[in-house]
Every structure is written in C-alpha cells, then in structure tokens.
Coordinates of all heavy atoms in Angstrom, one line a residue:
M100 N 99.4 -92.0 30.2 CA 98.0 -92.0 30.2 C 97.5 -90.9 29.2 O 98.1 -89.8 29.2 CB 97.5 -91.8 31.6 CG 96.0 -91.7 31.7 SD 95.4 -91.5 33.4 CE 95.8 -93.2 34.0
Y101 N 96.5 -91.2 28.5 CA 95.9 -90.2 27.6 C 94.8 -89.4 28.3 O 94.1 -89.9 29.2 CB 95.3 -90.8 26.4 CG 96.3 -91.6 25.6 CD1 96.3 -93.0 25.5 CD2 97.3 -90.9 24.8 CE1 97.3 -93.7 24.8 CE2 98.2 -91.6 24.1 CZ 98.2 -93.0 24.1 OH 99.2 -93.7 23.4
G102 N 94.6 -88.2 27.9 CA 93.5 -87.4 28.5 C 93.1 -86.3 27.5 O 93.7 -86.0 26.5
K103 N 91.9 -85.7 27.8 CA 91.4 -84.6 27.0 C 91.3 -83.4 27.9 O 90.8 -83.4 29.0 CB 90.0 -85.0 26.5 CG 89.3 -84.0 25.7 CD 87.9 -84.4 25.4 CE 87.0 -83.3 25.0 NZ 85.6 -83.6 24.8
V104 N 91.7 -82.2 27.3 CA 91.7 -81.0 28.1 C 90.3 -80.5 28.2 O 89.6 -80.4 27.2 CB 92.6 -79.9 27.4 CG1 92.5 -78.6 28.1 CG2 94.0 -80.4 27.3
V105 N 89.8 -80.3 29.4 CA 88.5 -79.8 29.7 C 88.5 -78.3 29.8 O 87.6 -77.6 29.1 CB 87.9 -80.4 31.0 CG1 86.5 -79.9 31.3 CG2 87.9 -81.9 30.9
I106 N 89.4 -77.7 30.5 CA 89.5 -76.3 30.7 C 90.9 -75.9 31.1 O 91.6 -76.6 31.7 CB 88.4 -75.8 31.7 CG1 88.3 -74.3 31.7 CG2 88.8 -76.3 33.1 CD1 87.1 -73.8 32.5
S107 N 91.3 -74.7 30.7 CA 92.5 -74.1 31.1 C 92.3 -73.3 32.4 O 91.5 -72.5 32.4 CB 93.1 -73.2 30.0 OG 94.3 -72.6 30.4
L108 N 93.1 -73.6 33.4 CA 93.0 -73.0 34.7 C 93.9 -71.8 34.8 O 93.8 -71.1 35.8 CB 93.3 -74.0 35.8 CG 92.4 -75.2 35.8 CD1 92.8 -76.2 36.8 CD2 90.9 -74.8 36.1
G109 N 94.8 -71.5 33.9 CA 95.8 -70.4 34.0 C 97.0 -70.9 34.7 O 97.0 -72.0 35.3
D110 N 98.1 -70.1 34.7 CA 99.3 -70.4 35.3 C 99.9 -71.8 34.9 O 100.4 -72.6 35.7 CB 99.2 -70.4 36.8 CG 100.6 -70.3 37.5 OD1 101.5 -69.8 36.9 OD2 100.7 -70.7 38.7
C111 N 99.7 -72.1 33.6 CA 100.2 -73.4 32.9 C 99.6 -74.6 33.6 O 100.2 -75.7 33.6 CB 101.7 -73.4 33.0 SG 102.5 -72.1 32.1
R112 N 98.3 -74.5 34.0 CA 97.6 -75.6 34.6 C 96.4 -75.9 33.8 O 95.7 -75.0 33.3 CB 97.2 -75.4 36.0 CG 98.4 -75.3 37.0 CD 98.0 -75.0 38.4 NE 97.3 -73.7 38.4 CZ 96.2 -73.5 39.1 NH1 95.6 -74.5 39.8 NH2 95.6 -72.3 39.1
L113 N 96.0 -77.2 33.6 CA 94.9 -77.6 32.9 C 94.0 -78.6 33.7 O 94.6 -79.4 34.4 CB 95.3 -78.3 31.6 CG 96.3 -77.6 30.7 CD1 96.9 -78.5 29.7 CD2 95.6 -76.4 30.0
K114 N 92.7 -78.6 33.5 CA 91.9 -79.6 34.0 C 91.7 -80.6 32.9 O 91.3 -80.3 31.8 CB 90.6 -79.1 34.5 CG 89.8 -80.1 35.2 CD 88.6 -79.4 36.0 CE 88.1 -80.4 37.0 NZ 87.2 -79.7 37.9
V115 N 92.0 -81.9 33.2 CA 92.1 -82.9 32.2 C 91.2 -84.1 32.6 O 91.2 -84.5 33.7 CB 93.5 -83.4 32.0 CG1 93.6 -84.6 31.0 CG2 94.4 -82.3 31.5
L116 N 90.4 -84.6 31.6 CA 89.6 -85.8 31.8 C 90.5 -87.0 31.3 O 90.7 -87.0 30.1 CB 88.3 -85.8 31.1 CG 87.4 -87.0 31.1 CD1 87.0 -87.3 32.6 CD2 86.2 -86.9 30.2
C117 N 90.9 -87.9 32.2 CA 91.8 -88.9 31.8 C 91.0 -90.2 31.3 O 89.8 -90.3 31.5 CB 92.6 -89.3 33.0 SG 93.7 -87.9 33.6
E118 N 91.8 -91.1 30.7 CA 91.1 -92.3 30.1 C 90.5 -93.2 31.2 O 89.7 -94.0 30.9 CB 92.1 -93.0 29.2 CG 93.3 -93.5 29.9 CD 94.3 -94.2 29.0 OE1 93.9 -94.5 27.9 OE2 95.5 -94.3 29.3
D119 N 90.9 -93.1 32.4 CA 90.3 -93.9 33.5 C 89.1 -93.2 34.1 O 88.5 -93.8 35.0 CB 91.3 -94.2 34.6 CG 91.9 -92.9 35.3 OD1 91.5 -91.8 34.9 OD2 92.7 -93.1 36.2
G120 N 88.6 -92.1 33.5 CA 87.4 -91.5 33.9 C 87.6 -90.4 35.0 O 86.6 -89.8 35.4
K121 N 88.8 -90.3 35.6 CA 89.0 -89.3 36.6 C 89.4 -87.9 36.0 O 90.0 -87.9 35.0 CB 90.1 -89.8 37.6 CG 89.8 -91.0 38.3 CD 90.9 -91.4 39.3 CE 90.5 -92.6 40.1 NZ 91.6 -93.0 40.9
S122 N 89.1 -86.9 36.7 CA 89.5 -85.5 36.3 C 90.7 -85.1 37.2 O 90.7 -85.3 38.4 CB 88.3 -84.6 36.6 OG 88.6 -83.3 36.1
R123 N 91.7 -84.6 36.5 CA 92.9 -84.3 37.2 C 93.4 -82.9 36.8 O 93.1 -82.4 35.7 CB 94.0 -85.3 36.9 CG 93.8 -86.7 37.4 CD 94.9 -87.6 37.1 NE 94.8 -88.8 37.8 CZ 94.2 -89.9 37.3 NH1 93.7 -89.9 36.1 NH2 94.1 -91.0 38.0
V124 N 94.2 -82.2 37.6 CA 94.8 -81.0 37.3 C 96.2 -81.3 36.9 O 97.0 -81.9 37.6 CB 94.8 -80.0 38.6 CG1 95.6 -78.8 38.2 CG2 93.4 -79.7 39.0
C125 N 96.6 -80.9 35.7 CA 97.9 -81.2 35.1 C 98.6 -79.9 34.8 O 98.0 -78.9 34.4 CB 97.8 -82.0 33.8 SG 97.0 -83.6 34.1
T126 N 99.9 -79.9 34.9 CA 100.8 -78.8 34.7 C 101.5 -79.0 33.4 O 102.0 -80.1 33.1 CB 101.8 -78.6 35.8 OG1 101.1 -78.6 37.1 CG2 102.7 -77.4 35.7
I127 N 101.6 -77.9 32.6 CA 102.4 -78.0 31.3 C 103.9 -77.9 31.7 O 104.3 -76.9 32.3 CB 102.0 -76.9 30.4 CG1 100.5 -77.0 30.0 CG2 102.8 -77.0 29.1 CD1 99.9 -75.8 29.3
R128 N 104.7 -78.8 31.3 CA 106.1 -78.8 31.7 C 106.8 -77.7 30.9 O 106.4 -77.2 29.9 CB 106.8 -80.1 31.5 CG 106.8 -80.6 30.2 CD 107.3 -82.1 30.1 NE 107.6 -82.5 28.8 CZ 108.7 -83.0 28.4 NH1 109.7 -83.2 29.3 NH2 108.9 -83.3 27.2
G129 N 107.9 -77.3 31.4 CA 108.7 -76.1 30.9 C 109.0 -76.2 29.4 O 109.0 -75.2 28.7
K130 N 109.4 -77.4 28.9 CA 109.8 -77.6 27.5 C 108.6 -77.3 26.6 O 108.9 -76.9 25.4 CB 110.2 -79.0 27.4 CG 110.8 -79.3 26.0 CD 111.3 -80.8 25.9 CE 111.9 -81.1 24.6 NZ 112.3 -82.5 24.5
L131 N 107.4 -77.5 27.0 CA 106.2 -77.3 26.1 C 105.6 -75.9 26.3 O 104.8 -75.5 25.5 CB 105.2 -78.3 26.4 CG 105.5 -79.8 26.1 CD1 104.4 -80.7 26.6 CD2 105.8 -80.0 24.7
R132 N 105.9 -75.1 27.3 CA 105.2 -74.0 27.7 C 105.0 -72.9 26.6 O 103.9 -72.5 26.4 CB 105.8 -73.3 28.9 CG 105.5 -74.0 30.2 CD 105.7 -73.2 31.4 NE 105.4 -74.1 32.5 CZ 105.7 -73.9 33.7 NH1 106.4 -72.8 34.1 NH2 105.3 -74.7 34.7
K133 N 106.0 -72.6 25.9 CA 105.9 -71.5 24.9 C 106.0 -72.1 23.5 O 106.0 -71.4 22.5 CB 106.8 -70.4 25.1 CG 106.5 -69.7 26.4 CD 107.0 -68.3 26.4 CE 106.5 -67.7 27.7 NZ 107.0 -66.3 27.9
N134 N 106.2 -73.4 23.4 CA 106.4 -74.0 22.0 C 105.1 -74.7 21.5 O 104.9 -74.7 20.3 CB 107.5 -75.1 22.1 CG 108.9 -74.5 22.4 OD1 109.1 -73.4 22.0 ND2 109.7 -75.2 23.1
V135 N 104.3 -75.2 22.4 CA 103.1 -75.9 22.0 C 101.9 -75.2 22.7 O 101.9 -75.1 24.0 CB 103.2 -77.3 22.4 CG1 101.9 -78.1 22.1 CG2 104.3 -78.0 21.7
W136 N 100.9 -74.8 22.0 CA 99.7 -74.2 22.6 C 98.7 -75.2 22.7 O 98.3 -75.9 21.8 CB 99.2 -73.0 21.7 CG 100.3 -71.9 21.6 CD1 101.1 -71.6 20.6 CD2 100.6 -71.0 22.7 NE1 101.9 -70.6 21.0 CE2 101.6 -70.2 22.2 CE3 100.0 -70.8 23.9 CZ2 102.2 -69.1 23.0 CZ3 100.6 -69.7 24.7 CH2 101.6 -68.9 24.2
I137 N 98.2 -75.4 23.9 CA 97.2 -76.4 24.3 C 95.9 -75.7 24.5 O 95.8 -74.8 25.4 CB 97.7 -77.2 25.5 CG1 99.0 -77.9 25.1 CG2 96.6 -78.3 25.8 CD1 99.6 -78.7 26.2
R138 N 94.8 -76.2 23.8 CA 93.5 -75.6 24.0 C 92.5 -76.7 24.5 O 92.8 -77.9 24.6 CB 93.0 -75.1 22.6 CG 93.9 -74.0 22.1 CD 93.3 -73.5 20.8 NE 94.0 -72.4 20.3 CZ 94.8 -72.4 19.2 NH1 94.8 -73.5 18.5 NH2 95.5 -71.3 18.8
E139 N 91.3 -76.2 24.8 CA 90.2 -77.1 25.3 C 89.9 -78.1 24.2 O 89.8 -77.7 23.0 CB 89.0 -76.3 25.6 CG 89.2 -75.5 26.9 CD 87.9 -74.7 27.2 OE1 86.8 -75.0 26.6 OE2 88.0 -73.7 28.0
G140 N 89.7 -79.4 24.5 CA 89.4 -80.4 23.5 C 90.6 -81.1 23.0 O 90.4 -82.1 22.3
D141 N 91.8 -80.6 23.2 CA 93.0 -81.3 22.7 C 93.3 -82.6 23.5 O 93.0 -82.7 24.6 CB 94.2 -80.4 22.9 CG 94.3 -79.3 21.9 OD1 93.5 -79.3 20.9 OD2 95.0 -78.3 22.1
I142 N 93.8 -83.6 22.7 CA 94.2 -84.9 23.3 C 95.7 -84.8 23.7 O 96.5 -84.4 22.9 CB 94.0 -86.0 22.4 CG1 92.5 -86.0 21.9 CG2 94.4 -87.4 23.0 CD1 91.5 -86.2 23.0
I143 N 96.0 -85.1 25.0 CA 97.4 -85.0 25.4 C 97.8 -86.3 26.1 O 97.0 -87.1 26.5 CB 97.5 -83.8 26.4 CG1 96.5 -83.9 27.6 CG2 97.3 -82.5 25.7 CD1 96.7 -82.9 28.6
L144 N 99.1 -86.4 26.3 CA 99.7 -87.5 27.0 C 100.1 -87.0 28.3 O 100.8 -85.9 28.4 CB 100.9 -88.1 26.3 CG 101.6 -89.2 26.9 CD1 100.8 -90.5 27.0 CD2 102.9 -89.5 26.2
I145 N 99.7 -87.6 29.4 CA 100.1 -87.1 30.7 C 100.8 -88.1 31.6 O 100.7 -89.3 31.3 CB 98.9 -86.6 31.5 CG1 97.9 -87.7 31.9 CG2 98.2 -85.5 30.8 CD1 96.9 -87.3 32.9
S146 N 101.6 -87.7 32.5 CA 102.3 -88.5 33.4 C 101.8 -88.2 34.8 O 101.7 -87.0 35.2 CB 103.8 -88.2 33.3 OG 104.5 -88.5 34.5
L147 N 101.3 -89.2 35.5 CA 100.8 -89.1 36.9 C 102.0 -88.9 37.9 O 103.0 -89.5 37.7 CB 99.9 -90.2 37.3 CG 98.7 -90.4 36.4 CD1 97.9 -91.7 36.9 CD2 97.8 -89.2 36.5
R148 N 101.7 -88.2 38.9 CA 102.7 -88.0 40.0 C 102.6 -89.2 40.9 O 101.5 -89.7 41.2 CB 102.5 -86.7 40.7 CG 102.6 -85.5 39.7 CD 102.9 -84.2 40.4 NE 103.1 -83.2 39.4 CZ 102.9 -81.9 39.7 NH1 102.5 -81.5 40.9 NH2 103.1 -81.0 38.7
D149 N 103.8 -89.6 41.4 CA 103.8 -90.8 42.3 C 103.2 -90.5 43.6 O 102.6 -91.4 44.2 CB 105.3 -91.2 42.5 CG 106.0 -91.7 41.3 OD1 105.2 -92.2 40.4 OD2 107.2 -91.6 41.2
Y150 N 103.3 -89.3 44.1 CA 102.8 -89.0 45.5 C 101.4 -88.4 45.5 O 100.8 -88.3 46.6 CB 103.8 -88.0 46.1 CG 104.0 -86.7 45.3 CD1 103.1 -85.6 45.5 CD2 105.0 -86.6 44.4 CE1 103.3 -84.5 44.8 CE2 105.2 -85.4 43.7 CZ 104.3 -84.4 43.9 OH 104.5 -83.2 43.2
D151 N 100.8 -88.1 44.4 CA 99.5 -87.5 44.4 C 98.8 -87.9 43.1 O 99.1 -87.5 42.0 CB 99.6 -86.0 44.4 CG 98.2 -85.3 44.7 OD1 97.2 -86.1 44.8 OD2 98.2 -84.1 44.9
D152 N 97.7 -88.7 43.2 CA 97.0 -89.3 42.1 C 96.1 -88.2 41.4 O 95.7 -88.4 40.3 CB 96.1 -90.4 42.5 CG 95.5 -91.2 41.4 OD1 96.3 -91.4 40.4 OD2 94.4 -91.6 41.5
S153 N 95.9 -87.1 42.1 CA 95.0 -86.1 41.5 C 95.7 -85.1 40.6 O 95.1 -84.1 40.1 CB 94.2 -85.4 42.6 OG 95.1 -84.6 43.4
K154 N 97.1 -85.2 40.5 CA 97.9 -84.3 39.7 C 98.7 -85.0 38.7 O 99.0 -86.2 38.8 CB 98.7 -83.4 40.6 CG 98.0 -82.5 41.6 CD 98.9 -81.7 42.4 CE 98.1 -80.8 43.3 NZ 98.9 -80.0 44.2
G155 N 99.1 -84.3 37.6 CA 100.0 -84.9 36.6 C 100.7 -83.8 35.8 O 100.5 -82.6 36.1
D156 N 101.5 -84.2 34.9 CA 102.3 -83.3 34.0 C 102.0 -83.7 32.6 O 101.9 -84.8 32.2 CB 103.8 -83.5 34.3 CG 104.1 -83.1 35.7 OD1 103.8 -82.0 36.1 OD2 104.8 -83.9 36.4
V157 N 101.9 -82.6 31.8 CA 101.6 -82.8 30.3 C 103.0 -83.1 29.7 O 103.9 -82.4 29.8 CB 101.0 -81.6 29.7 CG1 100.8 -81.7 28.2 CG2 99.7 -81.2 30.4
L158 N 103.0 -84.3 28.9 CA 104.2 -84.7 28.2 C 104.2 -84.3 26.8 O 105.2 -84.0 26.2 CB 104.4 -86.2 28.4 CG 104.6 -86.7 29.8 CD1 104.8 -88.2 29.8 CD2 105.8 -86.0 30.5
Q159 N 103.0 -84.4 26.1 CA 102.9 -84.2 24.7 C 101.5 -83.9 24.3 O 100.5 -84.4 24.9 CB 103.3 -85.5 24.0 CG 103.3 -85.4 22.5 CD 103.8 -86.7 21.8 OE1 104.2 -87.6 22.5 NE2 103.7 -86.8 20.5
K160 N 101.3 -83.1 23.3 CA 100.0 -82.8 22.7 C 100.0 -83.5 21.3 O 100.9 -83.5 20.6 CB 99.9 -81.3 22.4 CG 98.6 -80.9 21.7 CD 98.6 -79.5 21.3 CE 97.6 -79.2 20.2 NZ 97.6 -77.9 19.7
Y161 N 98.8 -84.1 21.0 CA 98.7 -84.9 19.8 C 97.9 -84.0 18.8 O 96.9 -83.4 19.1 CB 97.9 -86.2 20.0 CG 98.8 -87.2 20.8 CD1 98.6 -87.4 22.1 CD2 99.8 -87.9 20.2 CE1 99.3 -88.3 22.8 CE2 100.6 -88.8 20.8 CZ 100.3 -89.0 22.2 OH 101.1 -89.9 22.9
T162 N 98.3 -84.1 17.5 CA 97.6 -83.5 16.4 C 96.4 -84.4 16.0 O 96.3 -85.5 16.5 CB 98.5 -83.3 15.2 OG1 98.9 -84.5 14.7 CG2 99.7 -82.4 15.5
L163 N 95.5 -83.9 15.2 CA 94.4 -84.6 14.8 C 94.8 -85.9 14.0 O 94.2 -87.0 14.2 CB 93.5 -83.8 13.9 CG 92.1 -84.4 13.5 CD1 91.3 -84.7 14.7 CD2 91.4 -83.4 12.6
D164 N 95.8 -85.8 13.2 CA 96.3 -87.0 12.5 C 96.8 -88.1 13.4 O 96.6 -89.3 13.3 CB 97.3 -86.6 11.4 CG 96.8 -85.8 10.3 OD1 95.6 -85.9 10.0 OD2 97.5 -85.1 9.7
Q165 N 97.6 -87.6 14.4 CA 98.1 -88.5 15.4 C 97.0 -89.2 16.3 O 97.1 -90.3 16.6 CB 99.1 -87.8 16.4 CG 100.3 -87.4 15.7 CD 101.2 -86.4 16.5 OE1 100.7 -85.7 17.4 NE2 102.5 -86.5 16.3
V166 N 96.0 -88.4 16.6 CA 94.8 -88.9 17.3 C 94.1 -90.0 16.5 O 93.8 -91.1 17.0 CB 93.8 -87.8 17.7 CG1 92.6 -88.4 18.3 CG2 94.5 -86.9 18.7
N167 N 93.9 -89.8 15.2 CA 93.3 -90.8 14.4 C 94.1 -92.0 14.3 O 93.6 -93.1 14.3 CB 93.0 -90.2 13.0 CG 91.9 -89.2 13.0 OD1 91.0 -89.3 13.8 ND2 92.0 -88.2 12.1
L168 N 95.5 -91.9 14.3 CA 96.3 -93.1 14.3 C 96.2 -93.9 15.6 O 96.2 -95.1 15.7 CB 97.8 -92.7 14.1 CG 98.1 -92.3 12.6 CD1 99.6 -91.8 12.6 CD2 97.9 -93.5 11.7
L169 N 96.1 -93.1 16.7 CA 95.9 -93.8 18.0 C 94.6 -94.5 18.1 O 94.5 -95.6 18.7 CB 96.0 -92.7 19.2 CG 97.3 -92.1 19.5 CD1 97.2 -90.9 20.5 CD2 98.3 -93.2 20.0
I170 N 93.6 -93.9 17.5 CA 92.3 -94.6 17.5 C 92.3 -95.8 16.6 O 91.8 -96.9 17.0 CB 91.2 -93.6 17.0 CG1 90.9 -92.5 18.0 CG2 89.9 -94.4 16.7 CD1 90.1 -91.4 17.5
A171 N 93.0 -95.8 15.5 CA 93.1 -96.9 14.6 C 93.9 -98.0 15.2 O 93.5 -99.2 15.0 CB 93.7 -96.4 13.2
S172 N 94.9 -97.7 15.9 CA 95.7 -98.7 16.6 C 95.1 -99.3 17.8 O 95.6 -100.3 18.3 CB 97.1 -98.2 16.9 OG 97.0 -97.2 17.9
G173 N 94.1 -98.7 18.3 CA 93.4 -99.2 19.5 C 93.9 -98.7 20.8 O 93.5 -99.1 21.9
D174 N 94.9 -97.7 20.8 CA 95.5 -97.2 22.0 C 94.6 -96.2 22.7 O 94.6 -96.2 24.0 CB 96.8 -96.5 21.7 CG 97.9 -97.5 21.3 OD1 97.8 -98.7 21.7 OD2 98.8 -97.1 20.6
L175 N 93.8 -95.5 22.0 CA 92.9 -94.5 22.6 C 91.5 -95.1 22.7 O 90.9 -95.4 21.7 CB 92.8 -93.2 21.7 CG 92.2 -92.0 22.4 CD1 92.9 -91.6 23.6 CD2 92.3 -90.8 21.4
K176 N 91.0 -95.4 23.9 CA 89.8 -96.3 24.1 C 88.6 -95.6 24.6 O 87.5 -96.2 24.7 CB 90.2 -97.5 24.9 CG 91.2 -98.3 24.3 CD 91.6 -99.5 25.1 CE 92.6 -100.3 24.3 NZ 93.3 -101.3 25.1
I177 N 88.7 -94.4 25.1 CA 87.5 -93.7 25.7 C 86.6 -93.3 24.6 O 87.0 -92.6 23.7 CB 87.9 -92.6 26.6 CG1 88.6 -93.1 27.8 CG2 86.8 -91.7 27.0 CD1 88.6 -92.2 29.0
M178 N 85.3 -93.7 24.7 CA 84.4 -93.4 23.7 C 84.1 -91.9 23.6 O 83.9 -91.4 22.5 CB 83.1 -94.2 23.9 CG 83.2 -95.7 23.8 SD 84.0 -96.2 22.2 CE 82.7 -95.8 21.1
D179 N 84.0 -91.2 24.7 CA 83.7 -89.8 24.7 C 84.8 -89.0 24.0 O 84.6 -88.1 23.2 CB 83.6 -89.2 26.1 CG 82.4 -89.8 26.8 OD1 81.4 -90.2 26.1 OD2 82.4 -89.8 28.1
I180 N 86.1 -89.4 24.2 CA 87.2 -88.7 23.6 C 87.2 -89.0 22.1 O 87.3 -88.1 21.3 CB 88.5 -89.1 24.2 CG1 88.6 -88.6 25.6 CG2 89.7 -88.6 23.3 CD1 89.9 -89.0 26.3
M181 N 86.9 -90.2 21.7 CA 86.9 -90.6 20.3 C 85.8 -89.9 19.6 O 86.0 -89.4 18.4 CB 86.9 -92.1 20.1 CG 88.1 -92.8 20.6 SD 88.2 -94.5 20.1 CE 86.8 -95.2 21.1
N182 N 84.6 -89.8 20.2 CA 83.5 -89.2 19.5 C 83.7 -87.7 19.3 O 83.4 -87.2 18.2 CB 82.2 -89.4 20.3 CG 81.7 -90.9 20.3 OD1 82.0 -91.6 19.3 ND2 81.0 -91.3 21.3
D183 N 84.3 -87.0 20.3 CA 84.5 -85.6 20.1 C 85.6 -85.3 19.0 O 85.4 -84.4 18.3 CB 85.0 -85.0 21.5 CG 83.9 -84.9 22.5 OD1 82.7 -85.0 22.1 OD2 84.2 -84.7 23.7
V184 N 86.6 -86.2 19.0 CA 87.6 -86.0 17.9 C 87.1 -86.2 16.6 O 87.3 -85.5 15.6 CB 88.8 -86.9 18.2 CG1 89.8 -86.9 17.1 CG2 89.5 -86.4 19.5
N185 N 86.3 -87.3 16.4 CA 85.7 -87.6 15.1 C 84.7 -86.5 14.6 O 84.6 -86.3 13.5 CB 85.0 -89.0 15.1 CG 86.1 -90.1 15.2 OD1 87.2 -89.9 14.7 ND2 85.7 -91.2 15.7
K186 N 84.0 -85.9 15.6 CA 83.1 -84.8 15.2 C 83.8 -83.6 14.7 O 83.3 -82.9 13.8 CB 82.2 -84.4 16.4 CG 81.2 -85.4 16.8 CD 80.4 -84.9 18.0 CE 79.5 -86.0 18.5 NZ 78.8 -85.7 19.8
N187 N 85.0 -83.3 15.2 CA 85.8 -82.2 14.8 C 86.5 -82.4 13.5 O 87.0 -81.5 12.9 CB 86.8 -81.8 15.9 CG 86.1 -81.3 17.1 OD1 85.0 -80.8 17.0 ND2 86.8 -81.4 18.3
A188 N 86.7 -83.7 13.1 CA 87.4 -84.0 11.8 C 86.7 -83.5 10.6 O 85.5 -83.3 10.5 CB 87.7 -85.5 11.8

C-alpha cells in the first residue's frame, strides 16, 4: 500500500496518510533506519500488520522520478498525493 508521510513522530515512527484514506502510525524497519532519510511529504510503500490495521511498517521510500513513473502507470491513485508531488516537481 502506498502512503504519504504526514509527520515524523520520533523513535523511527511516522504518521502516514494511506491510499485508502486512513491515517496510520508506521515504523521504519531496521534495514532503512540509517540508510534512507524519510521526511514529511515523501511517498512510501508500507506493509500493514495482520493483527492491527492502524499500524504498519515502511518498506521503501520512492524518489520523485519513481513517483512520477507510478503516477504514469496508474498505480498511485490518490489525487491529494499526486497533486502534492506534482507541485513539488
């Protein structure tokens, strides 16, 4: 599931607006913690937890070029996310 980072909560946690319109708290997994810096407004790929729908894990951060490819292929469908990304381009 794709999402947009709304705010960093600290302790490797982020508040994310997901493509289904729900806001979730996601944790940056260990492999990404010091290798990829995630900021507000970034588009990320998240994995939902089986036991709790309000939490998830960050799997990948997308660059601006990758986001534009996702938009062109039709995978990224939320209008708010697409509009914010296109304004920053």
